[in-house]
């Protein structure tokens, strides 16, 4: 277990970044290349689960792996530039580091493409781990000793709980406050702008114990 007193994990899509414009562009290109109609507007309303889960709505099972590889190849050219950082994202990551801790990004996204987003937007977590979803995220959270995991989806709440980490939900993604609370989120924030102040209060309480 790492010796750092504080490690905080963050989800990526719709927690740190608004990837909807880029993902929509990538899916429109994928539809054009494969000749299969895809409702890209619908796709971006349900971001969070693994790529293969979404592709299964549009392609037969035997094609999903092949099309996933094609999509990941399309992604760097189509999806990186249109994607923006969500409000407070940079300061949220920096708030962890300012307390002497480590910021960890754990995402279901293909890791090389996730890194392109972070580099393009100047977000600098200490660790990036891709390809993990829901309870699977607990693997990375436990490995790095994360005490908090921040995410926008009920799958992120499940991951935090599986790792016995505090679950902080943000309502910037597809899941509203009621859904996140029902899933077991410990804290709900409207976005990341309030996270640094919340983290300072939480950390001060822990230090005082």
């Amino acid at each position: 277990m790492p010796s750092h007193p504080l490690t905080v994990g963050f989800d990526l899509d719709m927690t740190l970044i608004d990837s909807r414009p880029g993902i929509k562009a990538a899916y429109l290109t994928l539809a054009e290349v494969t000749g299969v109609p895809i409702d890209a507007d619908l796709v971006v309303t349900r971001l969070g689960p693994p790529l293969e889960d979404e592709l299964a709505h549009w392609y037969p099972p035997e094609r999903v792996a092949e099309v996933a590889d094609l999509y990941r190849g399309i992604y760097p050219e189509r999806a990186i530039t249109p994607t923006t950082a969500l409000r407070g994202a940079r300061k949220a990551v920096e708030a962890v580091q300012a307390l002497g801790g480590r910021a960890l990004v754990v995402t279901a996204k293909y890791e090389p493409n996730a890194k392109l987003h972070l580099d393009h937007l100047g977000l600098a977590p200490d660790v990036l781990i891709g390809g993990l979803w829901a309870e699977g995220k607990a693997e990375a959270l436990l490995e790095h000793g994360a005490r908090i995991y921040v995410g926008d989806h009920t799958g992120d709440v499940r991951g935090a709980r599986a790792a016995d980490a505090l679950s902080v939900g943000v309502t910037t993604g597809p899941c509203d406050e009621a859904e996140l609370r029902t899933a077991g989120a410990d804290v709900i924030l409207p976005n990341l702008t309030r996270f640094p102040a919340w983290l300072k209060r939480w950390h001060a309480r822990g230090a005082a114990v």
Side-chain angles (χ1 to χ4, degrees), residues 3-202:
S3 60
H4 295 270
L6 175 65
T7 298
V8 177
F10 294 90
D11 177 48
L12 184 62
D13 290 302
M14 303 314 300
T15 298
L16 291 174
I17 66 174
D18 184 352
S19 51
R20 291 173 297 183
I23 288 175
K24 178 178 178 178
Y27 269 99
L28 290 175
T29 300
L30 182 69
E32 182 180 353
V33 169
T34 62
V36 174
I38 297 174
D39 185 345
D41 289 316
L42 174 59
V43 168
V44 297
T45 67
R46 52 192 187 197
L47 300 182
L51 169 63
E52 289 82 0
D53 289 11
E54 182 60 46
L55 292 176
H57 293 293
W58 311 104
Y59 297 89
E62 64 273 14
R63 290 204 65 195
V64 167
E66 162 214 341
V67 177
D69 286 342
L70 180 58
Y71 173 89
R72 291 182 179 115
I74 290 168
Y75 197 94
E77 183 178 350
R78 292 288 187 264
I80 303 303
T81 301
T83 294
T84 58
L86 283 165
R87 290 177 58 208
R90 186 171 290 101
K91 289 184 178 179
V93 171
E94 291 171 351
V96 177
Q97 296 163 334
L99 291 171
R102 297 190 310 158
L104 171 72
V105 171
V106 184
T107 174
K109 190 180 292 295
Y110 179 55
E111 190 172 308
N113 288 341
K115 187 175 188 308
L116 290 175
H117 279 304
L118 295 174
D119 291 346
H120 177 73
L121 295 171
L123 297 171
D126 300 280
V127 181
L128 166 64
I129 299 171
L132 298 176
W133 163 242
E135 289 84 356
K137 293 186 174 188
E139 173 188 336
L141 298 176
L142 288 167
E143 178 184 351
H144 291 274
R147 298 168 63 188
I148 299 168
Y149 186 61
V150 186
D152 65 285
H153 199 283
T154 56
D156 299 320
V157 178
R158 287 155 47 198
R161 293 182 68 84
D164 198 24
L166 191 76
S167 172
V168 176
V170 287
T171 56
T172 44
C175 300
D176 62 20
E177 180 175 352
E179 290 174 289
L180 294 170
R181 286 204 183 279
T182 299
D186 299 293
V187 177
I188 307 287
L189 301 175
N191 54 55
L192 288 175
T193 61
R194 298 187 186 181
F195 180 78
W198 173 86
L199 182 66
K200 284 181 182 179
R201 292 194 300 272
W202 177 87

